[in-house]
């Protein structure tokens, strides 16, 4: 693939010189430490420029047409210190970037610099464009971000990069409140995310009733799906509509149960989850559809059904359904613990 000819790459991995520049330097050393570019055919090559720029070849004071090899040990300490200072400067600039751009981002969000924006309600199509707009709003947020996220489980858990981004938002002083479905309590990756968020002051709850995906940023922008399609989203800036959506979120928040990210599931969460499983089983809904509707893996659903059979002394699913149909008003016992 020719990777060893790229600057900064050696046969052993990341390095200072390309393989071509290294070979040219060794050739100069073997020739008595002197190199005449015009005679060696390397004049103007990228390998020669590398060596001159880094200081391993310098012009002879008596004959500028000749380059003299410099002992690498003379360069190591100076280059290392200079590059470390440069790296520290870049790191400092990267850490200051969010706060430096915060005012600009806020102005962009408020004024609506995007020429495609269409007033108090803007419709975007495509996950890439939607996620870019959401990222800009999150980065420019100054007060709070409210999220209602149905679904969950192993299919949609946040990546480490997303966790780092959300932790950074919390450390800026922006509050975060998130509502999930109870099934997320059975997802180890989601519990890891929730643990990281709550450790930084974020709040997460689960709600055992249907709710729609919703985000509200700084109480100035609300985001909802477009006609239930994840490829479409409506960005709303109308104050009255945002106030209405905010009241819906707060109502859901009050009815939801706190989720700290650990493996303990409150008994009431397990009870309500199993009541939904029983209801759909009695309606004749298939196991795969039940799992999808509740945001569970089929394996977790199978475990709940197995425990229901044991608790009701049922040998078969048919017998379980018959017994449950006679006592649906009774809530099954649960220990509230995860594996």
């Amino acid at each position: 693939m020719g990777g060893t000819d790229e600057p900064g790459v050696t046969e052993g991995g990341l390095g200072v010189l390309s393989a071509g520049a290294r070979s040219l330097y060794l050739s100069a050393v073997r020739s008595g430490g002197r190199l005449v570019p015009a005679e060696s055919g390397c004049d103007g090559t990228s390998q020669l420029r590398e060596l001159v720029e880094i200081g391993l070849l310098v012009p002879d004071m008596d004959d500028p047409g000749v380059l003299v090899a410099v002992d690498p040990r003379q360069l190591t300490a100076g280059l290392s210190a200079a590059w470390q200072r440069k790296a520290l400067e870049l790191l400092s600039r990267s850490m200051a970037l969010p706060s430096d751009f915060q005012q600009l981002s806020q102005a962009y969000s408020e004024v609506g610099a995007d020429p495609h924006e269409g007033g108090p309600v803007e419709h975007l199509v495509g996950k890439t464009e939607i996620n870019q707009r959401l990222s800009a709003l999150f980065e420019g947020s100054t007060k709070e971000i409210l999220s209602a996220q149905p679904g969950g489980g192993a299919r949609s858990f946040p990546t480490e990069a997303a966790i780092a981004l959300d932790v950074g938002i919390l450390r800026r002083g922006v509050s975060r409140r998130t509502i999930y479905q109870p099934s997320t309590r059975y997802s180890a990756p989601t519990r890891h995310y929730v643990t990281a968020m709550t450790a930084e002051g974020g709040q997460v709850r689960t709600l055992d009733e249907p709710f729609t995906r919703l985000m509200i940023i700084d109480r100035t922008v609300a985001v909802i799906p477009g006609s239930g399609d994840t490829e479409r989203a409506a960005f709303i800036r109308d104050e009255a509509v945002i106030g209405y959506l905010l009241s819906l979120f707060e109502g859901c928040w009050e009815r939801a149960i706190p989720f700290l990210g650990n493996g303990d599931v409150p008994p009431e969460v397990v009870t309500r989850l199993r009541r939904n499983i029983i209801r759909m089983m009695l309606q004749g809904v298939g196991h795969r559809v039940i799992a999808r509707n509740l945001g569970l893996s089929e394996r977790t659903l199978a475990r709940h059904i197995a425990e229901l059979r044991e608790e009701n002394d049922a040998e078969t699913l048919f017998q379980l359904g018959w017994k449950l149909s006679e006592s649906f008003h009774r809530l099954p016992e649960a220990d509230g613990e995860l594996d």
Side-chain angles (χ1 to χ4, degrees):
M1 298 289 293
T4 56
D5 289 330
E6 297 176 6
V9 179
T10 66
E11 293 181 356
L14 187 65
V16 175
L17 296 175
S18 67
R22 186 180 299 272
S23 177
L24 182 59
Y25 177 81
L26 293 175
S27 177
V29 170
R30 296 188 187 103
S31 300
R34 297 170 65 80
L35 178 69
V36 182
E39 296 178 359
S40 62
C42 63
D43 194 14
T45 62
S46 60
Q47 293 86 352
L48 182 63
R49 287 196 300 271
E50 274 188 71
L51 296 174
V52 173
E53 289 174 0
I54 203 170
L56 283 171
L57 291 179
V58 298
D60 190 325
M61 296 182 62
D62 298 325
D63 188 354
V66 177
L67 297 176
V68 179
V70 175
D71 186 350
R73 288 172 295 188
Q74 298 179 11
L75 298 175
T76 301
L79 282 175
S80 178
W83 290 353
Q84 288 181 38
R85 287 194 300 271
K86 185 65 174 178
L88 181 60
E89 178 187 347
L90 291 174
L91 179 61
S92 299
R93 293 177 66 185
S94 68
M95 294 178 66
L97 189 60
S99 59
D100 283 351
F101 278 16
Q102 183 171 323
Q103 183 180 5
L104 301 180
S105 299
Q106 184 70 19
Y108 179 91
S109 300
E110 292 177 354
V111 175
D114 193 318
H116 296 95
E117 289 190 353
V121 180
E122 176 190 7
H123 296 271
L124 294 185
V125 180
K127 289 184 177 180
T128 299
E129 189 170 356
I130 292 171
N131 288 336
Q132 287 178 348
R133 182 64 59 82
L134 283 173
S135 295
L137 289 171
F138 278 25
E139 286 295 330
S141 62
T142 59
K143 298 177 182 178
E144 67 175 359
I145 298 175
L146 309 177
S147 302
Q149 301 278 17
R155 295 186 299 273
S156 58
F157 66 88
T159 64
E160 290 297 330
I163 293 175
L165 177 63
D166 287 348
V167 166
I169 291 173
L170 286 167
R171 289 178 178 175
R172 286 204 332 258
V174 178
S175 66
R176 292 291 304 271
R177 286 190 286 157
T178 304
I179 301 174
Y180 287 132
Q181 285 183 313
S183 59
T184 55
R185 295 176 182 266
Y186 294 89
S187 166
T190 304
R191 293 200 304 270
H192 170 61
Y193 169 79
V194 172
T195 299
M197 293 300 101
T198 54
E200 297 292 338
Q203 298 180 67
V204 183
R205 295 185 179 184
T206 60
L207 180 62
D208 181 41
E209 61 184 64
F211 59 91
T212 303
R213 190 177 305 276
L214 168 67
M215 295 183 186
I216 303 176
I217 300 94
D218 287 344
R219 306 197 174 204
T220 59
V221 182
V223 186
I224 61 175
S227 302
D229 186 354
T230 58
E231 296 285 343
R232 297 174 179 270
F235 289 73
I236 303 168
R237 288 182 167 80
D238 184 275
E239 184 176 349
V241 177
I242 292 175
Y244 175 75
L245 295 173
L246 183 61
S247 67
L248 291 180
F249 179 89
E250 294 293 357
C252 290
W253 182 259
E254 290 300 319
R255 296 191 300 276
I257 299 173
F259 180 19
L260 300 179
N262 53 35
D264 297 330
V265 180
E268 61 267 34
V269 172
V270 180
T271 297
R272 294 175 185 176
L273 181 63
R274 290 189 177 178
R275 173 172 282 274
N276 282 328
I277 293 174
I278 294 169
R279 176 178 53 80
M280 284 188 275
M281 286 179 61
L282 295 179
Q283 291 173 347
V285 181
H287 290 185
R288 181 170 298 179
V289 177
I290 293 175
R292 183 173 66 247
N293 289 347
L294 296 179
L296 296 170
S297 68
E298 292 187 46
R299 178 180 177 182
T300 300
L301 174 63
R303 190 184 70 188
H304 281 290
I305 293 176
E307 291 174 357
L308 285 170
R309 287 176 57 181
E310 182 178 353
E311 292 166 6
N312 290 272
D313 193 25
E315 295 293 332
T316 65
L317 285 176
F318 178 81
Q319 188 179 16
L320 174 64
W322 176 70
K323 289 189 173 185
L324 292 177
S325 65
E326 291 190 334
S327 57
F328 184 52
H329 65 280
R330 290 190 295 107
L331 299 180
E333 298 295 331
D335 57 13
E337 294 292 329
L338 289 179
D339 293 338

